Amino acid sequence: MLSKAFTARAHTNIALIKYWGKKDQELILPMNSSLSLTLDHFYTDTEVYFDQALKQDVFYLNEEKQNVSKVTQFMNIVRRQAGLKVFAHISSTNHVPTMAGLASSASAYAALAMAASQAAGLQLSRRDLSRLARRGSGSACRSIYGGFVEWQRGHDDQSSFASPIEENTNWNICMIAVVIDKARKKISSRLGMQRVVETSPFYTAWMKSTERDLAAIKEAIKKRDLKKVGTIAEENAMKMHALNMSAHPHFSYFEPASIAVMHLVELLRSEGICCYYTLDAGPNVKILCSVEDSTRILDRLAARFDKEQLLVARPGPGVHLINKK
Ligand code: ADP
Ligand code: DP6
Ligand code: CO
């Protein structure tokens, strides 16, 4: 017997205020609250159906069969919630490089949360979907919503979820992703942040200053103040990367080309163009700017990078079903 198949599409999100550290590894409760922008250009489509004939979950990513351990752990949470004992067939396509610091885990687990819960017969509210997605990957709880999204850290499984700040933002902003390297990162986000929490002497300072950054950026978003939003986001990202360099053993996601892009953004700023950078757990740089300025910035980047390495994303939508069979 097969259940109905459900396919969900979730877009990635890039944090302007970073989530970097867990206080509970099992429940994925973060040390600090965070804030992100969901992007239209990058997304994951995931189809799920349950099949009584299966002896274990089957998981295909980009048409290749994968080891199921992490996905099965997640599916066990769905099965427990639905009172199901049947395994599932999961097939996912990433329209985003996998594990390259472009937030594939965010779109992946948001899409899986929606497709799997629907196939299991659960009708979850968006808040409960956000809580479920969080169990797969912290950043995924924010991809349930479109536009600007805040993840309030909360203090337990019930209270830690994301909420939309402006779902359908009409702000004319975009993010240029400079894809320096599509390869999988050497240190996963999970491992990187854990090492930082355990060993960086600056961690307490990070938490305090991130709380201030979060309050300030929310005000600046309300006022459509790109200069302020960009400055806070750029500084917050650099504080996160400083934590990595202060860990033991220390590490960094920067590549020489990442630094070159950061310098170029600073140069463009000195020429009067309002643009700011942010980097996640990978070498790729994301540049926040107005749609109006994006062509000039792209022209300058084109001197150094191929067209295929320069992707322009606009605010994107929350998770949704794309078909019902
Ligand atoms: P990223 O920067 O891409 O978010 P992470 O270090 O957070 O990278 O790790 C990505 C994790 O998400 C890996 O465990 C990877 O196998 C998993 N993942 C990526 N895409 C999918 C998908 N479509 N379905 C399920 N898991 C996925
Ligand atoms: C740097 O959500 O990928 O992108 O919860 O361990 O799966 P896990 O980590 P993940 O970490 C994202 C870290 C970040 C910042 C952010 O997205 O807030
Ligand atoms: Co991730």
Side-chain angles (χ1 to χ4, degrees):
M1 254 257 308
L2 303 180
S3 76
K4 260 200 211 165
F6 285 85
T7 304
R9 173 170 296 176
H11 291 254
T12 62
N13 70 76
I14 296 299
L16 302 178
I17 302 298
K18 307 294 185 191
Y19 143 55
W20 202 237
K22 295 177 181 65
K23 70 168 179 242
D24 186 319
Q25 313 277 341
E26 158 73 17
L27 291 172
I28 310 204
L29 302 177
M31 289 290 239
N32 62 279
S33 300
S34 55
L35 184 145
S36 60
L37 181 63
T38 302
L39 301 180
D40 64 351
H41 191 89
F42 302 106
Y43 59 92
T44 298
D45 288 342
T46 301
E47 183 201 57
V48 178
Y49 59 86
F50 289 89
D51 180 353
Q52 276 178 332
L54 291 175
K55 301 240 172 340
Q56 57 174 342
D57 292 322
V58 182
F59 171 43
Y60 285 85
L61 175 55
N62 299 335
E63 290 175 356
E64 274 180 39
K65 203 167 175 181
Q66 309 282 313
N67 175 322
V68 287
S69 64
K70 215 178 142 196
V71 161
T72 278
Q73 265 180 27
F74 182 82
M75 292 303 291
N76 287 341
I77 300 172
V78 177
R79 277 186 280 267
R80 218 176 302 135
Q81 278 193 29
L84 264 181
K85 291 209 160 69
V86 187
F87 291 108
H89 187 282
I90 301 143
S91 151
S92 185
T93 308
N94 279 345
H95 298 267
V96 54
T98 303
M99 240 187 128
L102 287 160
S104 71
S105 67
S107 51
Y109 281 95
L112 184 58
M114 178 159 233
S117 61
Q118 290 278 330
L122 293 167
Q123 298 288 333
L124 300 182
S125 65
R126 290 212 293 174
R127 175 178 294 187
D128 286 343
L129 260 186
S130 176
R131 290 177 43 235
L132 175 61
R134 192 198 76 227
R135 303 290 299 272
S137 179
S139 55
C141 78
R142 298 185 308 237
S143 274
I144 299 304
Y145 300 99
F148 290 105
V149 183
E150 180 181 0
W151 175 13
Q152 274 292 340
R153 68 189 158 111
H155 51 85
D156 59 10
D157 179 43
Q158 288 295 327
S159 57
S160 189
F161 52 81
S163 327
I165 294 182
E166 277 191 35
E167 271 239 79
N168 302 304
T169 180
N170 58 0
W171 198 2
N172 241 350
I173 50 166
C174 63
M175 246 187 203
I176 302 174
V178 186
V179 182
I180 286 162
D181 189 351
K182 278 191 189 171
R184 289 172 180 236
K185 60 187 90 163
K186 286 174 206 83
I187 302 180
S188 69
S189 303
R190 194 151 296 186
L191 236 94
M193 66 175 86
Q194 189 181 350
R195 188 183 297 170
V196 158
V197 172
E198 284 167 6
T199 65
S200 170
F202 304 148
Y203 202 77
T204 317
W206 157 259
M207 287 211 291
K208 273 195 197 135
S209 105
T210 291
E211 207 168 305
R212 284 195 296 269
D213 288 347
L214 181 63
I217 208 167
K218 280 163 73 177
E219 276 306 302
I221 290 170
K222 251 192 239 155
K223 291 185 186 140
R224 297 276 186 269
D225 185 341
L226 183 59
K227 187 172 176 197
K228 203 159 195 179
V229 170
T231 306
I232 298 166
E234 187 174 296
E235 287 179 356
N236 186 265
M238 290 307 102
K239 284 179 238 182
M240 172 195 131
H241 289 278
L243 287 178
N244 301 342
M245 292 184 212
S246 68
H248 176 75
H250 64 85
F251 62 102
S252 168
Y253 295 108
F254 294 173
E255 291 292 335
S258 322
I259 295 169
V261 176
M262 293 188 246
H263 287 167
L264 176 62
V265 170
E266 286 162 20
L267 177 67
L268 289 169
R269 239 174 13 230
S270 73
E271 294 171 11
I273 303 177
C274 195
C275 54
Y276 300 86
Y277 52 78
T278 183
L279 291 91
D280 290 296
N284 304 311
V285 184
K286 277 80 66 173
I287 303 171
L288 183 68
C289 61
S290 69
V291 174
E292 219 185 342
D293 285 339
S294 61
T295 337
R296 275 171 79 193
I297 300 168
L298 284 165
D299 280 349
R300 295 288 284 276
L301 286 163
R304 188 174 173 136
F305 298 97
D306 296 337
K307 249 199 171 135
E308 305 74 59
Q309 291 178 279
L310 303 171
L311 306 168
V312 185
R314 303 260 300 123
V319 69
H320 51 280
L321 291 174
I322 55 174
N323 73 344
K324 275 184 198 169
K325 282 186 200 153

